Amino acid sequence: MEIFGILMLFVGLVYGTDDVLNLSQGKIKGSIEKSRNGREFRAFQGIPYAKSPIGDLRLQDPEEADSWNGILDATKEKPMCIQKNLFMYQSYNQLLGDEDCLYMNVYTPKIDKKDQKELLPVMVWIPGGGFSSGHGGMSLYGPHYLLDKDVVVASFNYRVGPLGFLSTEDDILPGNYGMKDQVLALKWVKSNIEKFGGDPNKVTIFGESAGGVSVGLHLLSPLSKGLFHKAILESGTPLVRWGVCPPGLAKRRALSLATISGCPEDSEQLAKCLRNMPAELLVNLHYNFFEWKVFPAITFMPVVENCKHKTGFLCKYPLLDFKQESNVPILMGMNSGEGGLIAARVYNEDCEVDPELKNNFDHYISSLLIYKYTTKMSDLPLVSKKIYNRYFTEGNMDNRLDTVKMVSGGIFLQGIFDMAIKLSSPVHYYVYDHTNSMSFNSYFGPCSANLGVTHGDEMISLFFTKGQDQLKGEDLNVSKLMIEIWTNFAITDKITIDGTNNGKEWPLMDSKSMKYLLISSSKPIISKKPFIEEYEFWKGLPLLSAFEKSEEILKTEL
């Protein structure tokens, strides 16, 4: 009993007898969870990091959250930001979430902060979802695998869709509200994470898809400098064509939204009108911007701001004028079959290609692969012909894996590889090629045939999702490998191919040897020149020809 009493006294000193933590905003009470290996950790869910972006705060930069009285219950997941998830083919029309959504989650194996040396590295997860959906909640991104290691993990929600990214490209509705939410969330981490046992000077930001683009944008943004120290980009960078809106297009879409909603076109009047509109109506209006089915899949995204009179989040269009603001170590890469995200949607339950795409490939492909608004209209027929001739040599689209390759190259590969080459920071590059027993392709579309290691499949190895079966066999081994690599990157400066101190060194990516880590199993190998022929094909297409004559003018204007 005496030993038990001493243990309870120790727990009381570390956590507080009521599991209550004192933040500058107020007191919070979390819950106790267990990691995959049975390690106890504290989960604090739904901590406000910004004021609710409703009423006059809708379509405005976020403001710091107010303090509260009493003890905040941080034991339950808060609603995601209001949205429809167009990527989930069975529920794409379901309205989800709430406009009151700017909340932080923190998971920690320790809270003792007496000794500075004992503070743990921090990993901040930025969720994806095409800038129109997604959330950072534990039900989807359970930290149970990561918390086997000595790290503190944080995640959060940010505004998505028109509410997060509508822009008239002026100072009235500049856009990037969702990105500025992220900046404020990172500031909150810097100010508060020490209370959770995390080191504010060892923060790694990591994200997937639009989350990967977001991580990359923080590398480019002057507003994010000093808020993080390492970065992991999974399956997305600011140099994919859907990462940042081409100059002029955001305003066109804002004016179209004004017309559809019956609001005035004047920016001030439009802003006032939209702030008085039911949030669900604004979310529903988003679906009016599809040109075919749910394509282009990304229509409201980060945008270049006018930085003449103030410091914006993003001042230059990175596809034309790339400028890195934060030079930190980077781990980045992609999955071998990213294109399953889109390919799964254009084949039916019998795995037959949609007849509209089959019969009108030239018309729809520029929307599907998101190059219509960066390519000169006169170049579109040439580009579609080259794409079709490369991938469908039999004269049909019956081979589904060829469609996956086309989408992988056209939407992901070029922009991801361009980023790896252009970054001035040290880059470790990977390709995830492990086939788990479960794949996100089953959510993306009705075709049950093998469509490869798709967009998001690496997250199966990194996060526990509520209702998911336990990983077994090689799936479990690869998951443990991924956790070792990702957390080792955050914790140390010695990067090895298996995440262990004694592992083989992982060479940096460079434009000559192009060495990368191929993760096809729990025994990864170093390889060279990932998908280099695919990359060169896409690099050779005039996909930015819309800017050719005006590139210098654009640089001057931006």
Side-chain angles (χ1 to χ4, degrees):
M1 285 299 293
E2 186 178 342
I3 294 173
F4 179 77
I6 292 170
L7 282 173
M8 287 301 98
L9 177 62
F10 174 74
V11 170
L13 287 171
V14 175
Y15 297 112
T17 53
D18 297 317
D19 294 336
V20 172
L21 197 60
N22 269 310
L23 302 181
S24 57
Q25 294 165 277
K27 296 178 179 180
I28 59 171
K29 179 180 175 64
S31 60
I32 300 174
E33 306 287 338
K34 284 194 175 181
S35 71
R36 174 160 54 190
N37 288 347
R39 180 192 204 182
E40 278 195 355
F41 66 89
R42 288 315 197 259
F44 298 89
Q45 302 176 76
I47 309 168
Y49 71 86
K51 291 179 181 177
S52 181
I54 60 176
D56 290 341
L57 293 183
R58 180 188 286 178
L59 300 173
Q60 298 272 25
D61 291 357
E63 296 183 6
E64 287 186 12
D66 294 325
S67 56
W68 57 82
N69 296 318
I71 299 173
L72 180 75
D73 181 5
T75 62
K76 297 181 180 65
E77 188 170 319
K78 287 286 189 178
M80 65 187 76
C81 291
I82 191 167
Q83 61 186 257
K84 288 183 177 180
N85 191 334
L86 66 93
F87 299 102
M88 303 291 108
Y89 83 100
Q90 289 181 313
S91 58
Y92 77 100
N93 215 21
Q94 182 181 349
L95 186 69
L96 304 165
D98 195 293
E99 197 173 4
D100 176 12
C101 62
L102 300 182
Y103 294 97
M104 173 75 62
N105 313 298
V106 182
Y107 315 104
T108 176
K110 59 172 290 184
I111 299 181
D112 186 6
K113 63 182 190 310
K114 291 178 182 177
D115 185 350
Q116 181 72 20
K117 293 179 181 177
E118 291 184 6
L119 293 176
L120 300 179
V122 181
M123 300 183 73
V124 182
W125 175 250
I126 304 177
F131 298 112
S132 63
S133 60
H135 67 90
M138 190 161 72
S139 61
L140 184 59
Y141 299 113
H144 304 74
Y145 307 161
L146 292 163
L147 265 296
D148 279 337
K149 301 297 179 181
D150 286 337
V151 292
V152 173
V153 177
S155 64
F156 55 86
N157 300 335
Y158 58 91
R159 284 172 284 179
V160 293
L163 287 164
F165 295 96
L166 178 79
S167 172
T168 49
E169 298 186 59
D170 56 24
D171 292 339
I172 308 300
L173 288 169
N176 289 336
Y177 312 113
M179 298 310 303
K180 292 165 188 173
D181 292 344
Q182 294 183 21
V183 172
L184 189 57
L186 292 176
K187 287 180 177 178
W188 187 96
V189 168
K190 187 176 182 67
S191 298
N192 292 279
I193 206 66
E194 192 170 340
K195 296 282 183 68
F196 299 87
D199 189 341
N201 297 311
K202 286 187 178 179
V203 175
T204 297
I205 55 174
F206 67 131
E208 183 268 350
S209 191
V213 173
S214 296
V215 170
L217 286 171
H218 290 300
L219 290 167
L220 308 184
S221 175
L223 298 185
S224 309
K225 288 185 76 170
L227 298 178
F228 63 97
H229 312 92
K230 293 180 181 179
I232 302 175
L233 294 78
E234 303 169 28
S235 306
T237 79
L239 297 185
V240 293
R241 285 183 306 282
W242 49 270
V244 178
C245 199
L249 181 58
K251 184 173 183 178
R252 282 178 59 186
R253 285 181 169 148
L255 295 177
S256 297
L257 189 136
T259 301
I260 297 166
S261 63
C263 289
E265 288 189 352
D266 173 77
S267 293
E268 286 193 11
Q269 293 300 312
L270 174 60
K272 185 176 180 180
C273 181
L274 294 178
R275 286 183 186 123
N276 289 318
M277 187 179 292
E280 57 267 27
L281 181 55
L282 253 176
V283 175
N284 288 333
L285 286 173
H286 182 192
Y287 277 27
N288 286 279
F289 291 86
F290 299 142
E291 294 158 14
W292 177 63
K293 294 189 180 295
V294 294
F295 307 110
I298 299 160
T299 48
F300 290 93
M301 61 268 230
V303 66
V304 180
E305 294 180 54
N306 183 344
C307 297
K308 288 180 181 177
H309 306 298
K310 63 181 178 66
T311 303
F313 175 78
L314 187 65
C315 300
K316 302 176 185 298
Y317 184 52
L319 276 77
L320 298 180
D321 193 357
F322 185 88
K323 184 185 178 185
Q324 188 175 344
E325 292 280 352
S326 296
N327 289 287
V328 300
I330 290 164
L331 189 157
M332 63 178 292
M334 62 180 288
N335 298 350
S336 57
E338 297 279 2
L341 170 70
I342 304 299
R345 198 61 163 263
V346 300
Y347 288 87
N348 63 20
E349 56 273 8
D350 296 320
C351 296
E352 297 168 340
V353 70
D354 190 292
E356 288 187 83
L357 181 60
K358 179 180 179 181
N359 298 327
N360 299 285
F361 182 89
D362 288 355
H363 180 71
Y364 290 124
I365 195 61
S366 61
S367 297
L368 198 76
L369 299 183
I370 317 179
Y371 63 80
K372 180 184 281 188
Y373 300 101
T374 59
T375 304
K376 277 194 297 192
M377 189 173 288
S378 58
D379 285 336
L380 293 177
L382 168 71
V383 171
S384 65
K385 184 177 181 181
K386 285 191 172 183
I387 292 172
Y388 195 90
N389 288 343
R390 175 175 178 84
Y391 291 99
F392 307 112
T393 54
E394 299 294 319
N396 60 61
M397 297 181 69
D398 293 345
N399 189 329
R400 297 171 295 273
L401 291 177
D402 287 338
T403 304
V404 172
K405 285 180 184 177
M406 174 188 72
V407 179
S408 298
I411 290 185
F412 297 101
L413 172 63
Q414 183 189 347
I416 293 171
F417 210 70
D418 277 344
M419 185 79 172
I421 292 170
K422 287 191 175 186
L423 284 165
S424 54
S425 307
V427 173
H428 290 90
Y429 195 89
Y430 74 88
V431 172
Y432 182 89
D433 187 40
H434 171 67
T435 303
N436 289 283
S437 57
M438 175 271 189
S439 171
F440 278 106
N441 279 330
S442 61
Y443 297 102
F444 297 150
C447 175
S448 59
N450 174 35
L451 294 174
V453 180
T454 195
H455 192 62
D457 274 358
E458 90 288 353
M459 293 189 296
I460 297 169
S461 296
L462 293 173
F463 296 102
F464 174 74
T465 299
K466 190 176 180 180
Q468 172 185 311
D469 291 336
Q470 282 195 341
L471 300 181
K472 298 175 182 176
E474 188 66 349
D475 290 355
L476 177 60
N477 294 336
V478 170
S479 174
K480 289 183 175 180
L481 168 74
M482 291 285 285
I483 294 299
E484 289 283 0
I485 293 173
W486 261 234
T487 57
N488 180 65
F489 177 78
I491 293 169
T492 74
D493 295 326
K494 183 184 179 184
I495 312 303
T496 60
I497 67 171
D498 61 1
T500 65
N501 291 331
N502 299 321
K504 184 179 178 182
E505 184 180 354
W506 182 348
L508 292 172
M509 159 73 90
D510 62 58
S511 57
K512 292 182 180 179
S513 65
M514 298 184 182
K515 291 181 180 178
Y516 72 100
L517 187 66
L518 178 61
I519 306 171
S520 296
S521 70
S522 56
K523 304 294 182 185
I525 60 170
I526 298 296
S527 191
K528 294 182 180 180
K529 299 185 177 180
F531 311 113
I532 193 65
E533 290 183 2
E534 291 285 299
Y535 172 73
E536 288 173 348
F537 168 76
W538 288 98
K539 193 73 175 169
L541 296 176
L543 299 181
L544 296 178
S545 61
F547 305 114
E548 280 176 355
K549 290 183 180 179
S550 57
E551 186 170 335
E552 289 305 314
I553 297 172
L554 270 170
K555 282 185 180 181
T556 303
E557 289 178 348
L558 299 176

